[in-house]
Amino acid sequence: MSKSIFYHAGCPVCISAEQDLVHLIGNENVEIVHLGEDQSQIETAEKAGVQSVPALLTPNGNVLHINFGAAIADVKA
Amino acid sequence: MSKSIFYHAGCPVCISAEQDLVHLIGNENVEIVHLGEDQSQIETAEKAGVQSVPALLTPNGNVLHINFGAAIADVKA
């Protein structure tokens, strides 16, 4: 895994954080996953340690939880 | 302001986040401020919107609060 993965759920704080982080890290280095639209990715995110969104999963496996947008439980339909 | 500023207070979660973010954004693009060691920067950080550390102040003035290490009040001596 060489890219970071940015998990979000479309909330305003997610989108603001997304734009900032994508700009800083570089668009080509970040994969963006919208957990609200792609619920199949929720289990993968949870296993990686994502507890809330927005969160950035770094290439070395650390999860940086950014602000507090929504608990992961709230993204599940 | 063209650099991001990373505020932290030396707690383990700060250091882990620092290493990840500095690596991703690029060392030359981030100024690192240790609020525990440089208390004169606390007022500046607060005025920029930093409420907890670690936090990343982006070049366009947004503050991304990362995880939750310590409330800004706890860093004050």
Side-chain angles (χ1 to χ4, degrees):
Chain A
M1 181 170 62
S2 59
K3 274 193 178 187
S4 299
I5 303 177
F6 184 79
Y7 290 104
H8 73 124
C11 53
V13 66
C14 300
I15 293 170
S16 173
E18 174 184 320
Q19 291 173 334
D20 269 9
L21 274 177
V22 168
H23 178 70
L24 291 170
I25 298 173
N27 184 55
E28 70 280 11
N29 299 317
V30 188
E31 179 184 349
I32 295 169
V33 175
H34 188 317
L35 291 179
E37 293 178 348
D38 190 355
Q39 305 239 333
S40 67
Q41 293 294 311
I42 291 178
E43 188 178 344
T44 303
E46 282 183 317
K47 284 182 179 172
V50 174
Q51 298 178 329
S52 60
V53 287
L56 183 74
L57 175 63
T58 67
N60 59 18
N62 284 341
V63 178
L64 305 180
H65 294 98
I66 300 161
N67 278 317
F68 188 82
I72 195 89
D74 295 332
V75 182
K76 296 180 182 177
Chain B
M1 180 169 63
S2 59
K3 273 192 178 187
S4 299
I5 303 177
F6 183 79
Y7 291 104
H8 73 123
C11 54
V13 66
C14 297
I15 293 168
S16 172
E18 174 184 321
Q19 291 172 334
D20 269 9
L21 273 178
V22 168
H23 178 70
L24 290 170
I25 298 174
N27 184 55
E28 71 280 10
N29 299 318
V30 187
E31 179 184 348
I32 296 169
V33 174
H34 188 316
L35 291 179
E37 293 177 349
D38 190 355
Q39 305 238 332
S40 68
Q41 293 293 312
I42 291 179
E43 188 177 345
T44 302
E46 284 184 316
K47 284 183 179 172
V50 173
Q51 296 179 331
S52 61
V53 287
L56 183 74
L57 175 62
T58 66
N60 59 17
N62 284 342
V63 178
L64 305 180
H65 294 99
I66 301 160
N67 276 321
F68 188 83
I72 196 88
D74 295 333
V75 182
K76 296 181 181 176

